[in-house]
Amino acid sequence: MNIAVVPGSFDPITSGHLDIIKRATKLYNKVIIGVVVNPYKTPLFSLEQRVNMVKDAVRDYKEIEVFSFDGLLVEFVKMHGARVIIRGLRAITDFEHEFQMAQLNRKLKPDIETVFMMASPEYAYLSSSAVKEIARYKGDISGLVPPNVEKTLRDILG
Ligand code: PNS
């Protein structure tokens, strides 16, 4: 079984994440989404909210499973019998951080490969932080996030 893991903070999941996840289902039999417990920055949404928003956004895809994880990504990947980590790349600014993470993950577990997928042009400018900022100032976020996330953002940010 060809299994890939798509990890992230998903604070919240955006249309850009979804695009990468859906494209990954065309390449792998099973796609596991790993929502990190402690993202680098303090999240706006709780872990439960982030997981539920992801689950809701991918509910029509039988080949996608959603879990949260704490600790090292490579251990989560191994636990699920996967050997591939998928990351989306938007611009050159993503590269340095992604390169470092991929190299560190390879050092930790040489059998696990990081595969990069280029963001589709329509989402190349999109990020969870930008979406939160636009929503906070009551800008239009339709199309930038799945409808369930748009509703949740409106509910909590007013
Ligand atoms: O959506 P993000 O915030 O870019 O995702 C970052 C993530 C979750 C992939 C990264 O922070 C991560 O892998 N965290 C788990 C801890 C870990 O394994 N660190 C070592 C790799 S640098």
Side-chain angles (χ1 to χ4, degrees):
M1 178 89 121
N2 218 346
I3 310 170
V5 169
V6 182
S9 314
F10 302 107
D11 185 43
I13 185 166
T14 68
S15 303
H17 292 126
L18 266 182
D19 177 57
I20 297 283
I21 292 163
K22 287 179 190 171
R23 283 161 55 197
T25 63
K26 302 206 170 83
L27 302 171
Y28 298 90
N29 306 118
K30 190 164 152 188
V31 171
I32 291 175
I33 304 180
V35 182
V36 74
V37 170
N38 289 314
Y40 191 63
K41 298 166 222 144
T42 314
L44 173 65
F45 294 103
S46 69
L47 177 65
E48 197 190 352
Q49 284 174 313
R50 287 183 282 132
V51 168
N52 286 340
M53 282 188 284
V54 175
K55 280 189 174 163
D56 201 14
V58 301
R59 67 187 176 284
D60 294 336
Y61 291 78
K62 299 282 161 288
E63 63 274 52
I64 302 178
E65 289 179 32
V66 185
F67 299 94
S68 60
F69 76 98
D70 203 357
L72 288 177
L73 171 60
V74 287
E75 297 296 345
F76 174 77
V77 172
K78 195 178 157 208
M79 194 177 84
H80 285 278
R83 288 183 53 191
V84 171
I85 296 168
I86 294 190
R87 294 289 288 168
L89 271 186
R90 291 164 301 188
I92 202 82
T93 43
D94 279 342
F95 182 79
E96 200 172 327
H97 178 58
E98 294 297 334
F99 182 74
Q100 185 187 24
M101 280 203 298
Q103 299 293 10
L104 285 170
N105 284 331
R106 192 210 300 279
K107 177 95 179 76
L108 293 168
K109 291 249 183 285
D111 288 347
I112 295 176
E113 202 64 59
T114 302
V115 172
F116 291 103
M117 290 175 66
M118 293 300 155
S120 296
E122 62 268 41
Y123 303 123
Y125 57 88
L126 191 54
S127 69
S128 297
S129 351
V131 164
K132 284 180 281 190
E133 188 162 311
I134 297 169
R136 194 168 284 129
Y137 296 113
K138 317 256 183 284
D140 183 11
I141 52 163
S142 55
L144 303 183
V145 288
N148 64 304
V149 174
E150 193 181 336
K151 189 185 172 310
T152 311
L153 270 168
R154 262 201 250 106
D155 288 346
I156 71 155
L157 295 175

